[in-house]
């Protein structure tokens, strides 16, 4: 019997409900004490896609942990909040990451929390840039899309999350229930490497979406149309000299950081 | 500006093959004392241009051994800007200045009967300015850039190259701990670093050239003259009362050309209109 990749595999509804209930409990507790905690990862996609969130379970997408975005100036308050909720921090991670990341475990509930301070730093850096308050309880939709599209070796669970997001949200120039494609286009125009990975992955999503039998024809067409619109908008954003120069070098020089599996 | 492109252009092409390495391009730029080479195909037809600024990519992207090896394998044909902007030999020189400003380019290939016969660059326009501009005209203060890219003398060359590329600046002013100008680093200076087998230990103080300085009340002609005489593209503008304090700005050849191309400047007026201002 083969072992499914991380984040893929059957997960019963009680186990899924445990994650969904806990993340709500944590973010609400944060709100009550003025701590900004926003959800990212698979739970965020589920929360922000009320109509199509069921696709995760149908397509074998499993929750493995709770990922949270936060500001580093609130690290002390977050530590106190989560410790008070029964979590134990792995201090070594916070120290080694120079305060960019914190890990908390709940030995009773067998839950694992990853807190990303100020940025997501994997294949590319996606900074919060003071934008966490633009949405709640998740990070803004644009950052959610970038969370997946910045992964160079994108896998099936990332594609599923992206399909959900694109199926349920329009592209636009703001963040209100909308994927701020203008912001994504600006970030891609400022960094050729990010542009290279994002456009590569959008193209992959466009090719893979029609193969999912769980999607209706309308949903498949919607994803393809959204990807086409996103790619078109990214291409029309004016590119500065540094971008154009980097583009000439292209893939000859690695354009991303090597990372392990992004859970 | 009443002259035609043919009056100001640099005749002939200094060329390289598409397969030339970045190191070979650096050597040719240095030997010919030019800022760019025209890349030509086997039949001698221009297919692109590669400049000292393009070569900065070598330093910029060589963050480790692997990327350095990749950049060393790159050729002029791969890094060049293509296609090259062209202009007819009998076009007004003001048109060349306008295009350089609006398209943010430094040179145009000059064409005659469908054949490339030379290059006109910012330097050529500037040289003309130095020769013909009336004595009483705008001053350095009118066109200088108040914002500058500045670093200390122990800044690594790689960091300076990255800052120049990111900010799209062609030079960095090097100052001491009190802001006194010590020198300037430009693309040409960094070419020397490109020739070093290992430039990681190099600092800007090792590659910078002395800063030419000028007062903000000086005329554009004086600035152009200084640039031409020393073959510098930019001059540091200092406060005459406090020459050892932080400079006031920088004036570049591009600033002067932009002023020439400005609607209403004497260069944009008909020859019959008054030149005294």
């Amino acid at each position: 019997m083969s072992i499914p990749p991380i984040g893929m595999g059957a997960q019963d509804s009680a186990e899924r409900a445990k994650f969904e209930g806990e993340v709500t409990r944590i973010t609400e507790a944060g709100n009550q004490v003025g701590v900004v905690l926003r959800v990212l990862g698979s739970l965020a996609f589920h929360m922000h896609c009320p109509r199509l969130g069921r696709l995760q379970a149908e397509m074998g997408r499993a929750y493995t942990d709770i990922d949270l975005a936060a500001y580093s100036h609130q690290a002390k308050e977050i530590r106190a909040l989560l410790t008070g909720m029964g979590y134990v921090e792995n201090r070594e991670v916070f120290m080694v990451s120079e305060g960019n990341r914190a890990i908390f475990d709940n030995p009773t509930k067998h839950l694992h929390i990853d807190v990303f301070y100020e940025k997501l730093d994997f294949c590319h850096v996606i900074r919060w840039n003071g934008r966490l308050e633009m949405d709640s309880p998740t990070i803004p939709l644009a950052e959610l899309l970038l969370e997946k599209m910045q992964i160079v070796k994108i896998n099936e669970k990332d594609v599923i999350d992206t399909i959900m997001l694109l199926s349920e949200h329009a592209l636009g120039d703001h963040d209100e229930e909308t994927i701020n494609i203008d912001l994504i286009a600006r970030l891609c125009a400022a960094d050729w490497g990010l542009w290279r990975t994002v456009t590569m992955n959008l193209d992959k999503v466009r090719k893979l979406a029609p193969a999912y039998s769980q999607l209706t024809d309308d949903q498949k067409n919607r994803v393809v149309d959204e990807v086409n619109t996103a790619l078109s908008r990214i291409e029309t954003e004016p590119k500065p000299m540094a971008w154009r120069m980097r583009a000439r070098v292209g893939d000859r020089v690695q354009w991303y950081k090597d990372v392990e599996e992004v859970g | 500006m009443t002259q035609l492109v043919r009056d100001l252009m640099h005749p002939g092409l200094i060329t390289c093959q598409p397969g030339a390495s970045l190191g070979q391009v650096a050597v040719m730029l240095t030997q010919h004392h030019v800022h760019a080479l025209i890349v030509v195909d086997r039949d001698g037809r221009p297919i692109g241009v590669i400049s000292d600024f393009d070569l900065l990519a070598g330093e910029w992207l060589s963050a480790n051994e692997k990327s350095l090896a990749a950049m060393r394998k790159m050729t002029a044909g791969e890094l060049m800007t293509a296609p090259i902007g062209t202009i007819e030999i009998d076009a007004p020189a003001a048109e060349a200045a306008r295009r350089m400003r609006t398209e943010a380019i430094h040179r145009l290939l000059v064409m005659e009967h469908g054949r490339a016969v030379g290059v006109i660059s910012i330097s050529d326009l500037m040289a003309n300015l130095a020769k013909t501009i009336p004595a009483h005209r705008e001053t350095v203060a009118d066109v200088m850039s108040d914002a500058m890219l500045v670093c200390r003398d122990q800044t690594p060359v790689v960091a300076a190259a990255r800052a120049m590329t990111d900010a799209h600046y062609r030079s960095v002013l090097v100052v001491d701990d009190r802001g006194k100008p010590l020198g300037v680093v430009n693309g040409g200076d960094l070419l020397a670093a490109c020739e070093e087998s290992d430039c990681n230990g190099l600092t800007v103080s090792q590659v910078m050239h002395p800063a030419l300085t000028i007062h903000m009340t000086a005329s554009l002609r004086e600035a152009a003259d200084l640039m031409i005489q020393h073959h510098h593209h930019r001059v540091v503008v200092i406060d005459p009362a406090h020459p050892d304090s932080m400079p006031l700005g920088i004036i570049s050849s591009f600033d002067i050309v932009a002023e020439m191309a400005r609607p209403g400047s004497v260069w944009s007026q008909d020859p019959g209109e008054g030149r005294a201002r």
Side-chain angles (χ1 to χ4, degrees), chain A residues 241-246 248-249 252-254 258, chain B residues 53-54 57 60-61 70-71 74 78-81:
Chain A
M241 177 69 182
W243 190 99
R244 298 198 304 272
M245 182 181 284
R246 180 63 187 85
R248 273 183 258 157
V249 176
R252 295 176 186 86
V253 171
Q254 185 170 316
D258 288 312
Chain B
F53 202 79
D54 296 327
W60 182 40
L61 296 174
M71 291 306 297
M74 276 202 81
E78 292 167 336
L79 194 61
M80 69 184 184
T81 299

Side-chain angles (χ1 to χ4, degrees), chain A residues 195-259:
Chain A
W195 172 90
R196 176 74 178 85
T197 304
V198 167
T199 55
M200 173 181 74
N201 285 332
L202 283 172
D203 188 51
K204 280 183 186 170
V205 170
R206 178 168 56 183
K207 287 172 178 162
L208 291 171
Y212 284 101
S213 58
Q214 296 87 345
L215 299 173
T216 65
D217 285 346
D218 281 350
Q219 287 167 338
K220 291 173 186 174
N221 291 335
R222 159 97 188 225
V223 171
V224 172
D225 288 346
E226 290 277 281
V227 169
N228 286 337
T229 303
L231 287 170
S232 175
R233 176 66 189 83
I234 290 168
E235 288 312 300
T236 56
E237 183 71 14
K239 309 296 192 300
M241 177 69 182
W243 190 99
R244 298 198 304 272
M245 182 181 284
R246 180 63 187 85
R248 273 183 258 157
V249 176
D251 293 0
R252 295 176 186 86
V253 171
Q254 185 170 316
W255 65 94
Y256 57 89
K257 283 185 293 182
D258 288 312
V259 293

Side-chain angles (χ1 to χ4, degrees), chain B residues 22-259:
Chain B
L22 303 191
Q24 289 171 326
V25 171
V27 169
M28 288 184 72
L29 289 174
T30 309
Q31 286 177 342
H32 292 281
H33 207 51
V34 292
H35 290 284
L37 302 176
I38 304 299
V39 184
V40 295
D41 65 14
R42 286 182 178 178
D43 299 322
R45 288 178 299 219
I47 55 174
V49 61
I50 185 161
S51 70
D52 52 5
F53 202 79
D54 296 327
L55 290 193
L56 294 182
E59 282 299 328
W60 182 40
L61 296 174
S62 297
N64 52 43
E65 287 299 320
K66 192 177 169 186
S67 53
L68 177 61
M71 291 306 297
R72 278 181 171 164
K73 286 180 186 168
M74 276 202 81
T75 63
E78 292 167 336
L79 194 61
M80 69 184 184
T81 299
I84 319 175
T86 62
I87 192 165
E88 287 299 317
I89 194 166
D90 287 322
E95 170 68 9
R98 186 192 63 77
R99 285 192 54 194
M100 287 182 203
R101 184 174 60 84
T102 57
E103 297 173 29
I105 54 179
H106 288 259
R107 55 194 61 78
L108 290 162
L109 197 61
V110 181
M111 307 297 290
E112 184 176 32
H113 306 309
R115 195 169 61 88
V117 293
V119 173
I120 184 164
S121 68
I122 287 178
S123 299
D124 298 320
L125 295 168
M126 192 173 63
N128 179 62
L129 178 69
K131 284 188 291 187
T132 62
I133 202 164
H136 179 68
R137 284 197 22 76
E138 286 83 359
T139 66
V140 165
D142 295 322
V143 300
M144 73 179 197
S145 301
D146 298 288
M148 300 171 284
L149 202 56
V150 178
C151 70
R152 292 283 293 275
D153 55 346
Q154 292 307 307
T155 301
V157 161
V158 174
R162 187 172 296 119
M164 288 166 67
T165 309
D166 285 348
H168 198 180
Y169 274 57
R170 291 178 68 87
S171 68
V172 180
L173 176 66
V174 183
V175 299
D176 68 12
D177 57 352
R178 291 178 299 122
K180 177 185 177 183
L182 300 175
V184 173
V185 174
N186 62 21
D189 299 319
L190 293 176
L191 291 180
C194 292
E195 294 170 11
E196 296 285 335
S197 58
D198 179 11
C199 62
N200 280 334
L202 279 181
T203 62
V204 291
S205 63
Q206 293 170 282
V207 299
M208 68 184 185
H209 61 267
L212 288 178
T213 60
I214 196 166
H215 295 172
M216 62 193 297
T217 53
S219 68
L220 293 188
R221 188 200 61 76
E222 289 174 288
D225 183 57
L226 202 56
M227 291 179 191
I228 295 294
Q229 294 301 328
H230 295 271
H231 201 157
H232 281 204
H233 280 255
R234 49 200 63 76
V235 179
V236 178
V237 184
I238 59 170
D239 182 350
H242 305 284
D244 288 344
S245 60
M246 189 72 181
L248 301 168
I250 279 188
I251 182 169
S252 71
S253 52
F254 200 86
D255 295 327
I256 296 175
V257 172
E259 168 60 21

